[in-house]
Amino acid sequence: MNDTIQLIKQLVEIPSPSGNTAKVISFVEEYLKSLNVQMIRNNKGGLLVTIPGKNNSQHRMLTAHVDTLGAIVKNIKSNGRLMIDLIGGFNYNSIEGEYCQIETTTGKTYTGTILMHQTSVHVYKDAGKLERNQKNIEVRIDEEVHNADDVRNLGIEVGDFISFYPRVEVTPSGFIKSRHLDDKASVALLLQLIKRIIMEHIKLPYTTHFLISNNEEIGYGGNSNIASETVEYLAVDMGAIGDGQETDEFTVSICAKDSSGPYHFGLRKKLIELAKQNQIKYKVDIYPYYGSDASAAIRSGHDLIHGLIGPGIDASHAFERTHISSLEHTSSLLYHYVQSELTEA
């Protein structure tokens, strides 16, 4: 699991807000190159890896996504700061005080901090009571700028991408805390699974596709490039933790239903049975405000048996954390799943 942790650390350090994921996809390609697996980029910029199986008339597909939450320059303000527009579903308060990187269209980068305009309590008496919204939140650029012209002279323009520092840390107690564990933790698990299949010369029962998608946070990462032979589709994302939830940071979470509706009951039962047979700790849960690449595929009209699993991630879409044991149980379930028989419809 140490290799997986190191891979997660590498992945989260690569800025990849939805819409600007080429660098992280190139990293994944380079990681897989030595394994000599079949892989192609789709037109959306995602990466599709295919491993032939004993049965090539029926396929299965697994997906995890490398795109993350982020922001984009909405307006260059007269004070030399940046108004932002959010990429993905999160609240402004979850990024207040965060260090960030602004990337121009030429590839030049600048650092900054995301702050309330009315931050200083020595100046703004009611700073703590003001709403965290697009009007009040801004980026303070780490350059000498006094007005919009100074900013534009740096090459920064409306539409430039803004990514948040991950601040990844692994604790002695086994916790991994970082932004973007959703979903780079699961991407690392799939990459390690592919490596294990190749290195151990495992012959899969069915031709299996692994899609590293790059638009999940905006709703359509995994709804295309699904071979017509595909019967079963498993999204590997994250389990949501909070009041009323079963998911925790120490088990694999198996989703029964999210905002799109129930996942396939038969596949859910099979995943539970695989967990029981192999001493894998799991929790079954419902994620009320959530959608996955698997649900996006169903919505786009594909005739699939679909499911969703992942490690439990605390404080999702904010200051995320999981535990190595959750990664281990998720990894084990994936390993046994790809060698199992297809679920009956």
Side-chain angles (χ1 to χ4, degrees):
M1 192 52 64
N2 285 339
D3 288 346
T4 301
I5 299 300
Q6 292 306 311
L7 185 53
I8 291 172
K9 290 173 71 174
Q10 289 176 291
L11 287 166
V12 298
E13 291 284 0
I14 302 171
S16 57
S18 299
N20 190 18
T21 57
K23 290 178 184 176
V24 72
I25 289 292
S26 293
F27 174 88
V28 172
E29 280 180 321
E30 190 63 30
Y31 179 87
L32 294 173
K33 186 180 293 184
S34 64
L35 300 176
N36 294 316
V37 291
Q38 176 187 325
M39 54 183 170
I40 60 168
R41 286 202 196 195
N42 60 26
N43 290 328
K44 289 189 286 188
L47 189 68
L48 184 66
V49 179
T50 299
I51 299 177
K54 297 175 186 176
N55 184 337
N56 193 42
S57 62
Q58 294 177 297
H59 297 187
R60 64 165 35 116
M61 190 167 187
L62 294 87
T63 184
H65 66 92
V66 287
D67 64 306
T68 69
L69 306 175
I72 201 164
V73 177
K74 170 68 171 65
N75 179 253
I76 300 173
K77 302 170 80 169
S78 60
N79 63 356
R81 299 196 176 188
L82 305 176
M83 177 183 286
I84 66 174
D85 200 48
L86 304 183
I87 298 174
F90 61 104
N91 297 317
Y92 280 95
N93 67 285
S94 71
I95 58 171
E96 183 181 2
E98 190 62 89
Y99 291 170
C100 66
Q101 175 183 286
I102 307 106
E103 182 178 345
T104 72
T105 54
T106 64
K108 192 169 184 178
T109 60
Y110 298 93
T111 62
T113 306
I114 300 168
L115 296 166
M116 281 286 286
H117 176 78
Q118 311 89 339
T119 291
S120 175
V121 295
H122 297 102
V123 178
Y124 303 101
K125 180 180 179 181
D126 296 325
K129 300 177 183 179
L130 296 173
E131 186 177 355
R132 273 58 183 163
N133 58 21
Q134 188 178 64
K135 178 183 177 182
N136 291 330
I137 290 282
E138 61 189 14
V139 175
R140 180 185 67 196
I141 307 167
D142 297 328
E143 300 290 334
E144 185 175 346
V145 291
H146 303 281
N147 51 54
D149 286 341
D150 288 343
V151 175
R152 287 197 163 92
N153 287 336
L154 296 174
I156 296 173
E157 290 289 352
V158 170
D160 287 345
F161 285 96
I162 298 169
S163 55
F164 313 138
Y165 279 29
R167 294 184 292 120
V168 60
E169 183 179 337
V170 181
T171 72
S173 54
F175 286 102
I176 304 96
K177 52 184 183 179
S178 175
R179 288 193 184 271
H180 314 318
L181 294 177
D182 172 20
D183 187 35
K184 289 181 175 180
S186 290
V187 170
L189 292 176
L190 283 194
L191 294 181
Q192 290 290 78
L193 176 61
I194 293 168
K195 183 177 181 179
R196 184 175 182 182
I197 291 167
I198 300 302
M199 299 301 290
E200 295 182 4
H201 305 288
I202 297 169
K203 189 64 175 178
L204 298 177
Y206 306 95
T207 293
T208 302
H209 307 280
F210 298 85
L211 176 64
I212 308 302
S213 78
N214 65 328
N215 289 288
E216 192 276 345
E217 294 294 359
I218 51 177
Y220 58 85
N223 62 357
S224 62
N225 302 100
I226 301 170
S228 59
E229 296 89 353
T230 304
V231 175
E232 202 165 271
Y233 188 118
L234 183 68
V236 189
D237 208 314
M238 52 137 243
I241 296 174
D243 293 343
Q245 298 297 106
E246 294 294 319
T247 301
D248 59 34
E249 296 173 85
F250 310 100
T251 58
V252 56
S253 183
I254 300 172
C255 184
K257 176 186 177 294
D258 65 14
S259 63
S260 69
Y263 284 79
H264 192 278
F265 188 33
L267 178 52
R268 190 217 312 176
K269 289 192 291 185
K270 184 177 80 171
L271 291 166
I272 293 170
E273 188 58 32
L274 285 171
K276 289 179 177 178
Q277 290 171 359
N278 296 282
Q279 291 76 55
I280 298 166
K281 293 183 179 180
Y282 71 94
K283 296 288 178 68
V284 177
D285 213 347
I286 292 170
Y287 315 149
Y289 310 112
Y290 191 116
S292 74
D293 275 334
S295 57
I298 292 293
R299 279 199 170 111
S300 63
H302 290 280
D303 183 17
L304 298 165
I305 292 169
H306 73 313
L308 168 61
I309 68 169
I313 304 290
D314 188 53
S316 59
H317 282 199
F319 308 102
E320 296 172 347
R321 191 185 75 170
T322 192
H323 193 270
I324 191 171
S325 57
S326 184
L327 299 174
E328 289 171 339
H329 290 299
T330 305
S331 176
S332 183
L333 184 54
L334 287 169
Y335 177 74
H336 293 288
Y337 166 70
V338 295
Q339 298 179 80
S340 68
E341 294 299 310
L342 288 172
T343 305
E344 293 185 8

